Amino acid sequence: MTKVSMTVNGRAVSAEAEGRTLLVNYLREGLGLTGTHVGCDTSQCGACVVHVDGQAVKSCTVFAQDVAGADVRTIEGMANADGSLSTLQQAFQDHHGLQCGYCTPGMVMSSAALLAENPKPTEAEVRYHLEGNICRCTGYHNIVKAVLAASGQDVTKIAAE
Amino acid sequence: MPKDGGIGASTKRREDVRFLTGKGRYTDDINIRGQLHAHFIRSQVAHGTIRKIDTRDAEAMPGVVKVFTSADFAGVGGIPTGWQVTSRDGSVMLEPKHPVLAEGKVRHVGDPIAVVVAETLDQARDAAEAVEIDIDELPAVMDMKAAVQGGPLVHDEIGSNLCYDWGFVEENRAAVDEAFKKAAHVTTLDLVNNRLIANPMEPRVAVGDYEDHSGQHTLYTTSQNPHVIRLLMGAFVLSIPEHKLRVVAPDVGGGFGSKIYHYAEEAFVTKAAQILKRPVKWTSSRSEAFISDAQGRDHQTRIQLALDADNNFMALRCETYANMGAYLSTFAPCIPTWLHGTLLAGNYKTPLVYTNVKAVFTNTVPVDAYRGAGRPEATFQLERVIDKAARELGVSPVELRRKNFIKPDQYPYQTPVAVVYDTGNYDATLDKLLELSDYAGFEARAAESKARGKLRGFGLAHYIEACGIAPSNLVGQLGARAGLYESATVRVNATGSITVFTGSHSHGQGHETTFAQVISDMIGIDASQVEIVHGDTSNTPMGMGTYGSRSLAVGGSAMVKATNKIINKAKKIAAHLMEASEADIELKDGKFTVAGTDKEKTWVDITLAAYVPHNYPLESIEPGLEETAFYDPSNFTYPAGAYGCELEVDPETGKVEILAFTAADDFGNVVNPMIVEGQVHGGLAQGIGQAMLEHCVFDENGQLLSGSFMDYAMPRADDVPFYSVDHSCATPCTHNPLGVKGCGEAGAIGSPPAVVNAVLDALHRGGFTNVTHIDMPVSPSRVWQAMHG
Amino acid sequence: MHNFDFVKPSTIADAAQALSHEGAQALSGGQTLIPTMKQRLAAPATLVSLTAIPEMQGVCLGDGGLHIGAATPHAVVAREAKAHYPALAALAGGIGDPAVRNRGTIGGSLANNDPAACYPSAVLASGATVVTNTRKIAADDYFQGLFSTALHDGEIITSIVFPIPEKAAYVKFDQPASRFALTGVFVAKYAGGVRVAVTGASQDGVFRWKDAEAALSADFSPAAIKGLAMESGTMIHDLHGTQAYRANLVKVLTGRAVAAALA
């Protein structure tokens, strides 16, 4: 066991980790931040996506010791300072971009990374960017719609009614 | 215009806030002080005799508390089956024992053999490698037809791999055969309904806890129906009476059927916690889920449609082999029978239907209900054979369907397969589909595709499903070993807010929002004053849970029934307080008034009076305001709809791209359109996934070839388009108070045949007219092979 | 997974030293290695992270073409190689998904030599040089079959040097589940001729399609390969495609890559 320190959601933290401790286990078990989920073991589903130094990564496929000292952001750190939902989170609620909620943290983190580098993505760009995030509930329709809406684009024509 | 928060409003979901901020509480988020971790050692071979299990070295390893084998479970029952099917000859199905841990033999890859329980999960996994297991591998039986023709026995003690041989409607068999003899045209189609893996994004988790001083067991589990788990596990496996067993299913990350069943891991952690006097937790990895979650579909079918000279459907005949896997999962026997055979009339007035289903044991993971469950299989074969018939006859697939539709003036409609449809209007949904999908403009779009070297096709499917399972007395006659009512307790608090305890369970469906909308509408208080509680057997009334698109139709009806009792009692109190006749009391917008007067009492005046009964008719009414109701439906509900898929095939690679998907559904009344549409979207992606991507494949030795997301193709965001969905052609259900039908499975039922019909349409337009069928998934390789192979 | 010691050296020399110990294994982005370790199919005693070595990072022009540090993530290659070698940048931008591209590295991909990985086709079609801590290996010598390379135990890829072609394109046909290449074809036209490398298709891993190279060297147009046939006997057969299907894809994708290179 080694003491591993990093910054998570703006707060300096440290917890014990073995060599094999994955970042997601460090967050969930070491820090009690259970918003980040594990949905597979082959780095495919994206439920575990967090930001490390501003970049989206799959926290189930990174060792905690490999990102010691990094600046990590998780779903728990995505709301506005006053606790209200961020624009992106609010768009997910407004457009019903989640059902069971399990893939949602990863979807939000991946979408936030997309909007940071491409503030006005096209539908195709959103779909391509979310290739590594699997959702089994929504059929993606309302997730894509939510991301487009969060980018300030008009989505009223996409509405089914 | 519906009022915000009431019935018919697209109210935003209240549960979203916790999910969007990482504050959901899923089972794996539960960690109990002192808990141990369980790691299951599973069979790596599909069939074999266990010669030896030596746990000594493993038990000496760091952190290991105990290694369990079947010997530790000698005194407990097997995992029970909740439905008994009777064969054509009157004999009951064969029902082999399904032990918690394998006894003597392993019967599929993934069959649990032993469990290491240790202080940490890594220690348990490390020690698992030190458990010595000696298995003599036996030949695996994989092919269903071979299995019933003398293949190796999955269960030696039952003497056959044929679980049952079911005929329906057996009395019609001869008449159906006779109709085929007289038919002007017979269309025959052999097809496979591909095996699927449900793959909710949250893998299964179970945490067992035991309180030594009280003898109280608690199981936290990823379940769609905690009461059913309590009943099955308590009564049949572990002999724990209900009052000593609490089952909690907190936030659950999707189910799609796979979390209905009682699984061995639940019984294991519950029992192990009692034995070890410490909480025990098991979390499935995804790899483990692929070989331990019940799987779906896997039918091989020959379907035949007989038509007369005017293209009227005369009779339908089907023969299906249905894979049960190695053991009977909880509801497995009823899926290919009562949830399948009873839907074979579809939307059509086919007078005679006969289906024969042979359920077969093989050395594969057990199969049970997956979104749609039996109904997608029925719809697929029916809608495929109709399309094939239309092509053979040279008539429009649209018009052949329309000609044979049950017409709006024929309801209630008694089908030849037992069920009675209460309402419907299939011409309306078909017309709506053709309008929304711009069917009239298709030829021009096809020509444009052709100019680009692509083959464009349009595929149509119409479906019906039976939801809201089901009248308990009926399903009892059909072999169900449970009632299928639903329950609700409506507790009005003293200051007027309401807590509803429902037996339904939400794992993505949004009950916390929609159920509150119903209450808000009925009483006229703000939806924010209503809390929906579900998922804990210690505070909710005995309920049967959520599956089969039943929550609002059955659970919602129970809640309406209980709320009506509340309103009736509240009116009595109001009548007393306003010194009026109870018959003159009206409730509107949260106010009680006396007809013809200006007298008025607020909702809170009444609720306070109920709990502070100073001025109160104590001699005739009890204080308090809390009611429970159980609702047992008098019939199924029958959602129906028309689905259209427009796609392009790349003739060089066989790649299929869906360009548009349109769904026109009749769900009856709708409480929250936003949520209903979301349910359809999700169902469509799963149906498109079945049609184009997903396939659970075992090799001839029973090894799972599609054992991870690296080989089992889940639909991704870039595999699907924006969908066009509509539910305006509503014919409300006549026999439940909300007039609702259910919407959870429709998308997955109607879409696979629409996709495959569209691919075949594209191929025919491209000149590949000898291609009459492609089995799902219509992968690029298969489509290319059909064209060029 | 099995436990291990984790070390993260900051120089190539220290990394080589760490890797010389019994049971030591290099870790780059880990996007393949970590899932493999979860399955307990790899159990190193020590993992030596190569991602903190500055000289193994980055994309720059230099002698012989475009130099890419072996520990450069796919996302960085996609961004920084775009101006110099757009086809290579596009290939990097299509590997895995965005989160995988932020961690996975070119060196890790080449050291693993997965038969369905994208990078080997670019390296082989470009006639690139794989530079290690001890030597330079020509692409034609580097790839030696499925998951097999010319690397010795403990040898570290430090950079890859890509000669920049006149025209090039990579066309990938996704395996629908993993999104690896069911088949991918990289076509690169140099003054000295055309090279065509195919990934995902063959039981022997990445390979050059010499017949197509000859035809395209004579006439760099999709029509030039119309008369060729790809032998299907050495193709992979699996859940996602038959041998004949993959052989067909090789030809179709080669034609499309040529068309894309000309566009």
Side-chain angles (χ1 to χ4, degrees), chain B residues 122 125-126 129 287 650 652-653 655 693 697 705-706 709-713 716 718-719 780-781 784-785, chain C residues 1-3 39-40 97 173 175-180 226 239-242 244-245 248-249 252-253 256:
Chain B
D122 281 324
R125 286 180 180 153
D126 289 344
E129 292 184 345
S287 296
D650 178 342
E652 290 186 330
T653 64
K655 188 173 168 64
L693 297 163
V697 184
L705 299 178
S706 53
F709 291 152
M710 299 291 279
D711 282 301
Y712 187 89
R716 313 277 182 121
D718 57 358
D719 287 319
S781 178
W784 183 84
Q785 209 74 35
Chain C
M1 67 186 81
H2 294 273
N3 205 10
Q39 302 292 324
R40 293 185 171 242
D97 58 62
F173 194 92
Q175 193 260 52
S178 68
R179 305 299 179 104
F180 274 68
K226 280 272 189 269
L239 286 182
H240 307 289
T242 59
Y245 182 65
N248 170 68
L249 277 185
V252 170
L253 301 184
R256 289 182 182 184

Side-chain angles (χ1 to χ4, degrees), chain B residues 377-433:
Chain B
E377 295 91 322
T379 303
F380 184 73
Q381 52 183 294
L382 190 54
E383 293 299 302
R384 281 290 302 120
V385 80
I386 291 171
D387 240 51
K388 185 164 187 260
R391 206 170 295 287
E392 289 171 357
L393 294 165
V395 300
S396 150
V398 174
E399 295 314 317
L400 183 61
R401 285 180 171 84
R402 197 190 294 279
K403 180 183 179 70
N404 285 282
F405 274 162
I406 298 158
K407 296 297 175 186
D409 60 1
Q410 291 181 282
Y411 297 95
Y413 183 82
Q414 172 67 59
T415 69
V417 277
V419 291
V420 179
Y421 302 159
D422 60 340
T423 55
N425 187 341
Y426 312 139
D427 286 284
T429 43
L430 179 57
D431 287 341
K432 178 58 78 175
L433 173 84

Side-chain angles (χ1 to χ4, degrees), chain B residues 188-204:
Chain B
T188 301
L189 180 60
D190 291 313
L191 54 84
V192 172
N193 205 287
N194 43 326
R195 186 187 279 232
L196 303 176
I197 301 176
N199 278 321
M201 292 320 297
E202 178 202 30
R204 290 188 295 119

Side-chain angles (χ1 to χ4, degrees), chain B residues 152-171:
Chain B
L153 290 175
V154 178
H155 297 272
D156 307 278
E157 68 278 13
I158 58 173
S160 171
N161 290 324
L162 183 63
C163 177
Y164 57 74
D165 179 4
W166 183 77
F168 184 70
V169 175
E170 194 59 28
E171 295 72 30

Side-chain angles (χ1 to χ4, degrees), chain B residues 565-606:
Chain B
K565 291 187 191 178
I566 293 281
I567 291 170
N568 287 340
K569 182 171 178 183
K571 282 182 174 174
K572 286 191 172 74
I573 300 168
H576 172 84
L577 293 180
M578 293 189 280
E579 296 173 332
S581 160
E582 190 192 324
D584 292 335
I585 304 292
E586 292 169 357
L587 170 63
K588 191 163 183 285
D589 296 334
K591 291 193 177 67
F592 293 88
T593 53
V594 182
T597 76
D598 59 358
K599 287 184 182 174
E600 179 181 300
K601 288 284 177 188
T602 67
W603 169 249
V604 177
D605 292 336
I606 304 305

Side-chain angles (χ1 to χ4, degrees), chain B residues 437-449:
Chain B
S437 58
D438 185 22
Y439 186 66
F442 174 75
E443 292 298 340
R445 296 192 296 277
E448 186 273 329
S449 294

